[in-house]
Amino acid sequence: MKIGLYFGTFNPIHVGHLAIANHMVEYSDLDKIWMVITPHNPFKKKSSLLDNHHRYQMVQRALDDYPKIEASTIEFDLPQPNYTVHTLVVLQEKYPTYEFCLIMGEDNLKSLHKWKNYEVILKNHNIYVYPRISNGDIVSEFLNHPKIHRIAAPIMEISSTAIRNGVAAKKNIRPLLPEAVFLYMDEMNFYK
């Protein structure tokens, strides 16, 4: 089984995240997508990041109609601060028969060379890249790398930050969220 790992704080998960995840699982050779919810880093200021449990609840609710996409809390139990390379080792030990691949936006690919042990990640895992509008160039070693696969997904310029700001400013952000997520946020009075 080939699993695409889509990491994020999902604070909150929005229709852009779903469109990308769904496109990746439908238009690539990935069998499933796991939305890996990044926990709050205890060494960083809390800011507006919701509790892990609430972000997991929103992701779960958003995925009800997407059988090929699942929520993953694998990083919740790992020591913090955590690095992607460590999460990949833990997943490979827990699910030795699965092939884990990373899903990332082109903006993250431009900074991949700064990631902890990125060479190990590239040696052992494929990376599926979706387009993003961003500044900077992709490091030349990544341009035609056999482990990096560019997927012509739609460009989604929706941000969780803009959604949180919209809620705080009492704007109607409902079209940007899955209905179940909007209702949960509204019920819990998040980001107001």
Side-chain angles (χ1 to χ4, degrees):
M1 172 125 21
K2 206 168 190 180
I3 309 287
L5 302 172
Y6 188 172
F7 290 82
T9 55
F10 304 115
N11 186 41
I13 186 169
H14 54 66
V15 295
H17 295 128
L18 290 178
I20 295 293
N22 188 68
H23 190 90
M24 292 306 228
V25 80
E26 294 294 340
Y27 293 92
S28 74
D29 60 350
L30 297 169
D31 298 302
K32 281 197 171 247
I33 303 287
W34 289 2
M35 308 288 276
V36 181
I37 304 150
T38 307
H40 175 254
N41 183 334
F43 302 102
K44 287 191 177 168
K45 201 174 126 234
K46 184 93 172 169
S47 71
S48 62
L49 186 62
L50 291 180
D51 179 71
N52 295 344
H53 163 76
H54 290 302
R55 290 181 292 119
Y56 171 73
Q57 281 300 317
M58 289 191 290
V59 172
Q60 275 287 93
R61 289 163 194 240
L63 299 178
D64 275 349
D65 297 327
Y66 298 88
K68 295 180 186 174
I69 309 173
E70 299 173 13
S72 170
T73 59
I74 188 75
E75 290 198 331
F76 288 6
D77 300 322
L78 299 180
Q80 296 298 318
N82 182 48
Y83 297 97
T84 302
V85 68
H86 184 238
T87 302
L88 290 165
V89 168
V90 171
L91 282 169
Q92 213 61 78
E93 286 171 358
K94 195 169 178 175
Y95 305 97
T97 61
Y98 289 9
E99 180 185 343
F100 291 102
C101 308
L102 288 182
I103 293 174
M104 70 174 61
E106 199 171 63
D107 51 332
N108 281 317
L109 181 62
K110 290 174 182 175
S111 62
L112 180 64
H113 63 287
K114 297 176 183 172
W115 288 26
K116 183 177 179 70
N117 299 358
Y118 81 90
E119 305 94 333
V120 174
I121 294 172
L122 264 176
K123 180 176 175 241
N124 299 307
H125 303 277
N126 284 291
I127 298 178
Y128 289 70
V129 180
Y130 59 88
R132 290 290 302 264
I133 296 170
S134 63
N135 296 322
D137 296 316
I138 296 170
V139 177
S140 58
E141 77 173 287
F142 301 152
L143 285 175
N144 295 304
H145 198 286
K147 294 269 194 160
I148 298 175
H149 313 279
R150 292 161 122 33
I151 306 296
I155 295 177
M156 304 301 292
E157 290 299 311
I158 301 171
S159 84
S160 295
T161 303
I163 290 170
R164 292 192 307 271
N165 292 341
V167 171
K170 296 181 172 49
K171 303 292 184 197
N172 179 7
I173 45 75
R174 196 170 191 148
L176 304 175
L177 299 166
E179 185 69 7
V181 173
F182 175 81
L183 294 172
Y184 186 74
M185 279 173 45
D186 193 50
E187 175 194 335
M188 302 298 283
N189 280 317
F190 289 150
Y191 311 120
K192 291 183 177 172

